[in-house]
Amino acid sequence: MKRFAVVLLALCLAGALWAQDKVTLKMGDPHPDRVNGWGAVIEQINAEFKAANPGVDIVTESYPDQPYQQKIKIYATAKQLPDVFKYWSFSTLLKPLVDGGFVTALNKADFAQYGYVPGSLESNVWDGKLYGIPVSADFWVVYYNKQLFKDAGVSVPTTVEDLEALAPKFKAKGIIPMVTDGKDAWPLSITYDVLCERVNGDFSRQQAALDRKAKFTDPDFVEGARQYQKFIQSGLFQEDLTVSDYGASRNLFGQGKAAMYVMGPWEMGLATDSNFSDSFRANVDVFKFPVLKNGKGRTDDLEAWFGGNYVISSTSKNQNLDLKYLQYYAKRFPALAWEKGAAFPAQKVEPRATDTPVAKTLLKILADAKKTSGTTTIDRSTPQFKEDHQNFIRELSSGLITPEQFCAKLDASAQTASEQK
Amino acid sequence: MKGLFGNEKVSAALVLPGLLVIVFSLVVPIGFSAYYSLTDWAGFGKFHSVGFQNYRQILTTDAVFWRSLMNAFILMAVTIFIQNPVAFAVAAVLSHITEKLSRIFRTVFFVPAVLSLVVVAKLWVGIFNPTYGILNKVLIAVGLKSIAVSWLSNPHTALGAVIWIIIWQGFGWALLFYYTGLMTVPREIEEATRVDGAGWLQAYLRVIIPFMFPVISAVLVIDVISCLKQMEMIFLSTEGGPGMLTQFVSVYLYQKAFSAGQYGYGNALSVLFVIVAVGITLVVQRLLRRNDDVQ
């Protein structure tokens, strides 16, 4: 009995020592699907990192975007943030964490060798310090179904006016010309950003208006709003645009009921999505957002930003290990994400012979870009400004307010936001 | 045993667990809410006291709050003056037909009430869809293309469409309450009224409805509360749009707190909402009680 007790004690001690040696990295991300797409890429990176670092365990919490954001806010309040977590680099999301001292500042030089696209690291810089590594490059493009274009006898438009002229042609064939997620409104706000740039040829105007060095009631913004309303009223979009959510609009396009889909490169997986027909997958491609005939914006002026990024919690006890993980992530993510079609990396990727036409065109669109916008307007100010922008654009889309009223409301909201800063 | 329950300490000990649950699940959160409503808290991090600024802003300049309240009153009016009378009339008919037939109809009418809110919302969003929804397809088929609109996003029809969905789902409950109430009315009373020469309308107006007043009161109070706290159906169908035309207070305060990051303001909205809801419920109860006394 005594011998048994001694053995048991020894085992317990060994277990305790082993447990002490084992370091657990707590992580968080908004990718609950760990088998497909981005979640699968993270799982592979985690598995490789654990294999290369014996004694390290990784525990991840994943939720869809909105619940995840709430969870992070609650964890921040309770000072229990995960060691490493993915978060959006926007002023509406990451900035409050930076201001509250919840995230660790990084050294840019630690990530210099990982081929980041110019400007991408800068999107995570606040007060001159880098607060996270970007993971995806996002930009605004138009996906289209080549077969439906052929059936309607139309070609890819290069001007907004030509694009609007396609509406009756597709409708005559019983096809919805264009879809997007209008219920969540951010795609509408981004489209307004693009149209403003197509009017004034200047991506910096929005920031100037937010900084109160310009006004949203200035003629170029009002003209942008007029163009936006004309764009909507031309009948291009699905009739229930403002209540049509992400899944519904994506499905309309994927099921061949809509000819075009305005969205970002994260939808490059449409070309390999087994939920849609072979015919659709073989015919999906993408084109640059057209220009206005009399506008100053150019086709290669790209509304592009760097959204998701990884940060380290300032309360983490494993800062060195966290940094090591981020560097490993930065090293492995682009190739893995490109291979699985999970995301459009914010780092240089090598094109492959097996890339889909969509992937090839997206690469070209980014390579062709002469200038980029940086973070979209809705994510450059306060959360309230973002909410207001989205509400006002819904009202403009529904014809409840005029372009002039839209701009006046937006300017009042920007004024309130600037006073709160 | 009687002595045991007569002991004040024993009674207090038995009440205490329940009391603690209520205090920590209701009183404390409302207290916190009231506290944060006086701040500019963004959900985390530092915050400052702003006094009654949030309340002032809501009551004096926030048109969306008033719009949300008005929508709740419109829904309440439709529920009380249209849904309830129709449900009562249907229940009255069902109480006079054969049990077998009545059971079939009761089941049919009650099906929407047992469906999940998400299912009902998705079902009607699909029916109202202007592209593939069955409603517009039927309207076009019978030559009414001119009124085939985008029901949930058209500013003229959105509120009506949303109210229809809510009423459609709630109808089964109202019917169930009234049918059960009518079943408790002794047949002799109705028969005696008829023998005394009263027609069916008089029998209902003068005898059966007064007899059922406690049931009607309970249904009305439940309806008022349910209309005021309406959230899920709005969130799942229009999220308050187009513009803010179908906005309700619960959705609005959720958006303010969780989307706009204005937890202080959202908490002020929730405190005002509690005051309005409790106030209206008390007024309705008082009115119904007075009516009951008169009856």
Side-chain angles (χ1 to χ4, degrees):
Chain A
M1 190 66 191
K2 257 185 188 173
R3 191 176 295 167
F4 175 73
V6 170
V7 170
L8 192 68
L9 190 67
L11 279 172
C12 287
L13 277 172
L17 283 172
W18 181 78
Q20 254 183 354
D21 284 349
K22 194 113 179 140
V23 179
T24 301
L25 277 186
K26 286 185 185 169
M27 298 205 177
D29 63 57
H31 304 289
D33 183 349
R34 314 305 283 183
V35 181
N36 299 299
W38 203 315
V41 171
I42 297 171
E43 282 303 306
Q44 185 166 341
I45 292 173
N46 289 357
E48 290 176 10
F49 187 74
K50 282 197 284 187
N53 296 274
V56 173
D57 196 15
I58 294 176
V59 179
T60 310
E61 278 192 76
S62 289
Y63 308 94
D65 288 7
Q66 291 298 325
Y68 178 70
Q69 286 173 17
Q70 297 314 321
K71 203 85 179 172
I72 289 297
K73 286 176 186 173
I74 291 165
Y75 281 153
T77 306
K79 295 197 172 14
Q80 288 175 0
L81 280 168
D83 297 307
V84 178
F85 60 101
K86 192 175 167 217
Y87 214 52
W88 294 261
S89 64
F90 307 145
S91 61
T92 48
L93 292 165
L94 184 57
K95 181 79 178 356
L97 289 185
V98 171
D99 290 345
F102 294 104
V103 286
T104 302
L106 304 171
N107 186 353
K108 232 185 214 181
D110 289 338
F111 298 93
Q113 74 269 40
Y114 298 117
Y116 281 100
V117 172
S120 59
L121 283 171
E122 281 66 30
S123 67
N124 291 336
V125 171
W126 301 97
D127 300 326
K129 291 177 189 165
L130 178 70
Y131 281 99
I133 54 162
V135 280
S136 59
D138 300 329
F139 43 95
W140 214 226
V141 287
V142 183
Y143 291 87
Y144 74 111
N145 185 323
K146 286 189 276 191
Q147 187 60 47
L148 294 180
F149 267 59
K150 198 175 160 192
D151 293 347
V154 298
S155 53
V156 171
T158 52
T159 66
V160 172
E161 290 80 357
D162 288 346
L163 176 59
E164 289 167 354
L166 297 184
K169 291 177 183 167
F170 281 116
K171 282 186 167 178
K173 294 261 175 196
I175 297 290
I176 303 169
M178 185 179 254
V179 287
T180 197
D181 168 17
K183 190 181 181 191
D184 295 312
W186 55 264
L188 307 181
S189 295
I190 294 173
T191 303
Y192 172 64
D193 267 7
V194 177
L195 284 168
C196 283
E197 195 281 335
R198 294 311 190 230
V199 170
N200 57 28
D202 186 357
F203 280 126
S204 69
R205 290 280 296 154
Q206 269 90 350
Q207 188 58 50
L210 289 170
D211 293 340
R212 306 281 74 199
K213 289 169 188 159
K215 290 194 143 208
F216 279 109
T217 47
D218 288 348
D220 51 341
F221 289 120
V222 177
E223 180 57 21
R226 280 198 201 107
Q227 289 296 340
Y228 175 85
Q229 204 170 50
K230 188 164 138 284
F231 197 61
I232 301 290
Q233 287 172 348
S234 68
L236 269 174
F237 285 103
Q238 68 266 48
E239 280 185 59
D240 60 341
L241 175 67
T242 54
V243 288
S244 187
D245 64 21
Y246 198 102
S249 53
R250 184 178 188 270
N251 284 339
L252 282 172
F253 181 61
Q255 289 163 2
K257 291 189 168 66
M260 292 172 277
Y261 178 40
V262 190
M263 203 39 77
W266 55 87
E267 282 295 0
M268 63 194 272
L270 279 166
T272 52
D273 191 334
S274 57
N275 290 310
F276 301 131
S277 67
D278 292 344
S279 151
F280 169 78
R281 283 182 280 160
N283 280 293
V284 63
D285 206 343
V286 64
F287 62 85
K288 296 168 188 173
F289 201 98
V291 293
L292 287 165
K293 269 182 186 161
N294 298 316
K296 290 180 185 166
R298 296 285 165 262
T299 319
D300 292 328
D301 298 348
L302 189 63
E303 178 81 18
W305 64 99
F306 305 94
N309 75 125
Y310 266 84
V311 295
I312 296 175
S313 162
S314 57
T315 52
S316 170
K317 290 175 185 142
N318 311 302
Q319 297 284 331
N320 288 337
L321 190 63
D322 298 342
L323 179 64
K324 198 174 170 186
Y325 177 86
L326 277 200
Q327 287 177 311
Y328 191 76
Y329 195 100
K331 185 179 158 192
R332 292 290 288 139
F333 182 76
L336 287 174
W338 194 248
E339 184 188 312
K340 291 186 188 291
F344 200 98
Q347 293 155 272
K348 286 191 183 105
V349 287
E350 292 302 322
R352 303 169 310 158
T354 52
D355 286 343
T356 62
V358 169
K360 284 177 186 161
T361 317
L362 286 170
L363 272 178
K364 187 173 179 326
I365 289 174
L366 190 60
D368 286 350
K370 298 282 185 291
K371 59 180 176 184
T372 57
S373 63
T375 304
T376 56
T377 308
I378 49 174
D379 287 309
R380 283 174 182 261
S381 183
T382 61
Q384 181 59 51
F385 176 80
K386 179 176 184 171
E387 189 72 8
D388 284 346
H389 198 300
Q390 294 179 165
N391 287 333
F392 302 156
I393 201 83
R394 278 195 196 104
E395 290 179 335
L396 183 65
S397 305
S398 302
L400 291 169
I401 52 174
T402 62
E404 290 76 11
Q405 287 169 326
F406 168 77
C407 290
K409 287 176 111 174
L410 205 55
D411 199 64
S413 180
Q415 182 61 34
T416 307
S418 81
E419 286 162 8
Q420 283 169 353
K421 276 182 183 173
Chain B
M1 198 67 182
K2 199 178 171 186
L4 189 66
F5 284 111
N7 185 324
E8 283 178 5
K9 283 181 185 165
V10 172
S11 300
L14 290 171
V15 168
L16 193 65
L19 190 69
L20 284 177
V21 169
I22 288 175
V23 165
F24 283 102
S25 64
L26 205 68
V27 181
V28 171
I30 289 177
F32 271 117
S33 202
Y35 171 70
Y36 284 119
S37 72
L38 303 172
T39 70
D40 61 356
W41 193 40
F44 62 95
K46 292 170 191 161
F47 57 88
H48 312 93
S49 170
V50 293
F52 286 93
Q53 189 189 312
N54 289 331
Y55 290 97
R56 221 175 359 252
Q57 196 178 331
I58 292 167
L59 295 171
T60 57
T61 59
D62 193 341
V64 180
F65 171 72
W66 293 108
R67 172 93 218 178
S68 308
L69 263 190
M70 195 178 82
N71 285 344
F73 284 119
I74 293 172
L75 175 63
M76 223 184 287
V78 174
T79 307
I80 293 171
F81 298 113
I82 298 177
Q83 186 203 53
N84 274 270
V86 173
F88 190 91
V90 174
V93 172
L94 293 183
S95 68
H96 282 88
I97 59 175
T98 61
E99 173 58 21
K100 197 177 170 187
L101 207 56
S102 167
R103 193 176 298 160
I104 294 170
F105 278 114
R106 267 156 36 213
T107 310
V108 169
F109 284 124
F110 201 64
V111 164
V114 295
L115 289 177
S116 141
L117 272 171
V118 180
V119 172
V120 171
K122 291 284 172 196
L123 173 79
W124 280 101
V125 166
I127 290 172
F128 284 138
N129 187 288
T131 312
Y132 52 80
I134 194 165
L135 178 60
N136 279 7
K137 286 206 187 302
V138 169
L139 288 173
I140 291 165
V142 298
L144 293 171
K145 196 178 178 186
S146 58
I147 60 164
V149 296
S150 177
W151 297 93
L152 286 167
S153 57
N154 184 311
H156 303 294
T157 57
L159 185 63
V162 165
I163 287 177
W164 166 258
I165 304 175
I166 297 166
I167 296 289
W168 182 82
Q169 197 189 22
F171 185 79
W173 283 111
L175 180 74
L176 184 75
F177 277 114
Y178 288 137
Y179 180 81
T180 314
L182 282 166
M183 287 293 101
T184 63
V185 180
R187 285 280 168 210
E188 301 82 48
I189 295 182
E190 193 181 342
E191 280 160 16
T193 320
R194 301 296 280 271
V195 169
D196 287 344
W200 64 268
L201 186 62
Q202 271 187 316
Y204 266 90
L205 287 178
R206 299 196 177 257
V207 179
I208 297 174
I209 291 178
F211 188 87
M212 280 192 49
F213 205 76
V215 176
I216 296 171
S217 304
V219 174
L220 290 183
V221 170
I222 293 169
D223 280 344
V224 165
I225 295 169
S226 137
C227 291
L228 282 170
K229 70 184 181 73
Q230 187 54 237
M231 182 197 187
E232 301 91 334
M233 201 60 84
I234 307 298
F235 199 78
L236 292 164
S237 55
T238 62
E239 275 192 56
M244 286 288 169
L245 291 178
T246 62
Q247 191 60 283
F248 279 69
V249 183
S250 303
V251 182
Y252 183 49
L253 74 88
Y254 172 86
Q255 288 172 345
K256 274 285 178 191
F258 297 103
S259 302
Q262 294 191 329
Y263 284 77
Y265 196 87
N267 274 307
L269 277 169
S270 71
V271 169
L272 279 177
F273 181 46
V274 167
I275 293 169
V276 170
V278 170
I280 291 175
T281 310
L282 287 176
V283 168
V284 170
Q285 274 182 329
R286 176 76 50 97
L287 284 175
L288 292 172
R289 198 174 303 146
R290 191 179 297 166
N291 219 341
D292 201 13
D293 295 342
V294 172
Q295 302 284 351

